[in-house]
C-alpha cells in the first residue's frame, strides 16, 4: 500500500499515488485466537523445553469435515491481561490453551499515514462471526472436560479459570480471554476474483516482476500453525523463479 498498490480510495485518502488498484490488499485478514483455561498444580513442576510440548486437534461439532479446534497444553499460566486481572492465577499453574483454527471472522489492515514509520491499524474483527463464538464455547467446554478429568487429577489442586460458567457469563469470559497466537495471514490472497492480489504463480496482478511469498497469499488461514506452510510457499516461489528465469 505504501508503494501505491491497493484500494485506490484508501491510497487517495493518504495522498499516496496509485500504481495499481487492488482493493483486496489489506483485506481478508485472518488469525487464530485462543482462550487460556488454567489449573493450579497439585505439586509445582518446573516447565521443560518450550513449556508447551503437547497439542491436539478436535471438532467443535461432529458434522464438520475437519477439526476446527486446537488445544495446547502449556506448563505455565497463559492468559490474557483481562482474565489474569480477574482470576489472579498462581505462578505454579498450567494451562489448556484452546484455539479456534478455522475462523470465519475476517478483518482488515489499513495504513494511518503515507510513511513507513506511521503505525498500521489492525482490525482483527475477532469473534465477529457467530460461528466463531459457537466454536470457542465448545473449545472452552472441551478444555474443562479434559482438565478436570480423572487422569489429570494428580496434577490439579483446583481449577483457576474459567469455572462452571454458562450463557452470557461464558461468552463474556471468552471475549475477555481471546488472544492471538500470532498466525496473522491472508491479506494479499491468491485467487481469481476481484479481491485477489496474486495469481497462482504468486505474481501481483497488474505489476511486472513482483511476487509475494509469505503467509499473506493464503486465501484461508491453515488449520494448524503457519510456519511450515510459509516455508512451503517460499520453496515454491524459489522453484517458480528458477523455472521462469532459467536459473
Amino acid at each position: 500500500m505504501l508503494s501505491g498498490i491497493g484500494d485506490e480510495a484508501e491510497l487517495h485518502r493518504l495522498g499516496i499515488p496509485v500504481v495499481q488498484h487492488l482493493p483486496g490488499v489489506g483485506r481478508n485478514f485472518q488469525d487464530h485466537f485462543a482462550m487460556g483455561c488454567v489449573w493450579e498444580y497439585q505439586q509445582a513442576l518446573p516447565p521443560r523445553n518450550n513449556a508447551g510440548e503437547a497439542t491436539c486437534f478436535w471438532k467443535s461439532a461432529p458434522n464438520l469435515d475437519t477439526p476446527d479446534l486446537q488445544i495446547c497444553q502449556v506448563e505455565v499460566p497463559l492468559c490474557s491481561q483481562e482474565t489474569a486481572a480477574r482470576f489472579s492465577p498462581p505462578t505454579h499453574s498450567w494451562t489448556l490453551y484452546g484455539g479456534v483454527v478455522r475462523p470465519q471472522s475476517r478483518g482488515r489492515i489499513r495504513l494511518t499515514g503515507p510513511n513507513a514509520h506511521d503505525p498500521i491499524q489492525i482490525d482483527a474483527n475477532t469473534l465477529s462471526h457467530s460461528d466463531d463464538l459457537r466454536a470457542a464455547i465448545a473449545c472452552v467446554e472441551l478444555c474443562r472436560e479434559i482438565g478436570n478429568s480423572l487422569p489429570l487429577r494428580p496434577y490439579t489442586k483446583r481449577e483457576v479459570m474459567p469455572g462452571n460458567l454458562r450463557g452470557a457469563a461464558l461468552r463474556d469470559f471468552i471475549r475477555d480471554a481471546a488472544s492471538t497466537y500470532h498466525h496473522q495471514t491472508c491479506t494479499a490472497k491468491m485467487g481469481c476474483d476481484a479481491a485477489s492480489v496474486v495469481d497462482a504463480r504468486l505474481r501481483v496482478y497488474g505489476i511486472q516482476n513482483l511476487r509475494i511469498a509469505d503467509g499473506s497469499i493464503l486465501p484461508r488461514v491453515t488449520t494448524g500453525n503457519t510456519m511450515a506452510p510459509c516455508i512451503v510457499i517460499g520453496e515454491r516461489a524459489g522453484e517458480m523463479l528458477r523455472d521462469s528465469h532459467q536459473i
Side-chain angles (χ1 to χ4, degrees):
M1 290 185 282
L2 287 170
S3 301
I5 303 171
D7 187 327
E8 60 185 4
E10 284 288 299
L11 300 177
H12 285 316
R13 179 178 65 87
L14 297 170
I16 298 174
V18 178
V19 175
Q20 178 65 32
H21 172 56
L22 283 177
V25 175
R27 297 181 184 268
N28 195 45
F29 177 96
Q30 296 170 51
D31 191 15
H32 294 153
F33 69 92
M35 298 74 58
C37 301
V38 178
W39 285 261
E40 185 177 1
Y41 274 114
Q42 186 78 253
Q43 180 179 353
L45 296 175
R48 300 163 297 168
N49 303 315
N50 69 1
E53 295 292 338
T55 190
C56 70
F57 291 86
W58 203 253
K59 296 180 180 180
S60 64
N63 61 322
L64 295 177
D65 294 333
T66 189
D68 61 336
L69 307 178
Q70 181 182 12
I71 298 174
C72 300
Q73 193 275 330
V74 184
E75 299 167 13
V76 295
L78 182 61
C79 50
S80 67
Q81 291 183 347
E82 292 81 359
T83 55
R86 176 181 172 186
F87 293 93
S88 300
T91 301
H92 299 302
S93 301
W94 59 272
T95 305
L96 289 178
Y97 198 56
V100 175
V101 290
R102 293 182 68 85
Q104 301 302 310
S105 301
R106 299 291 183 266
R108 184 178 183 183
I109 293 175
R110 304 178 74 177
L111 300 180
T112 64
N115 301 309
H117 293 293
D118 293 325
I120 294 173
Q121 177 183 331
I122 303 174
D123 180 9
N125 218 19
T126 304
L127 287 165
S128 60
H129 197 288
S130 59
D131 285 355
D132 293 347
L133 181 57
R134 175 195 56 77
I137 290 171
C139 190
V140 169
E141 291 174 343
L142 178 59
C143 286
R144 294 194 66 240
E145 183 178 352
I146 295 171
N148 293 319
S149 64
L150 184 61
L152 289 177
R153 295 274 174 85
Y155 305 99
T156 58
K157 181 177 181 181
R158 65 183 177 96
E159 180 184 351
V160 177
M161 66 184 201
N164 191 27
L165 303 180
R166 291 288 182 267
L170 178 56
R171 293 192 293 272
D172 287 345
F173 168 79
I174 287 170
R175 293 189 182 282
D176 285 342
S179 305
T180 178
Y181 56 107
H182 310 296
H183 295 160
Q184 298 93 344
T185 47
C186 306
T187 52
K189 75 167 189 170
M190 178 191 296
C192 303
D193 62 4
S196 297
V197 177
V198 300
D199 64 15
R201 297 189 64 79
L202 308 181
R203 297 172 296 197
V204 176
Y205 286 114
I207 302 293
Q208 293 286 327
N209 300 320
L210 178 61
R211 301 180 198 238
I212 301 175
D214 59 31
S216 67
I217 64 96
L218 294 169
R220 179 185 60 77
V221 65
T222 52
T223 300
N225 293 34
T226 51
M227 178 181 175
C230 286
I231 291 172
V232 172
I233 291 167
E235 290 180 344
R236 289 289 293 124
E239 293 172 359
M240 291 171 186
L241 289 169
R242 181 193 61 198
D243 294 342
S244 296
H245 299 283
Q246 303 298 307
I247 298 174

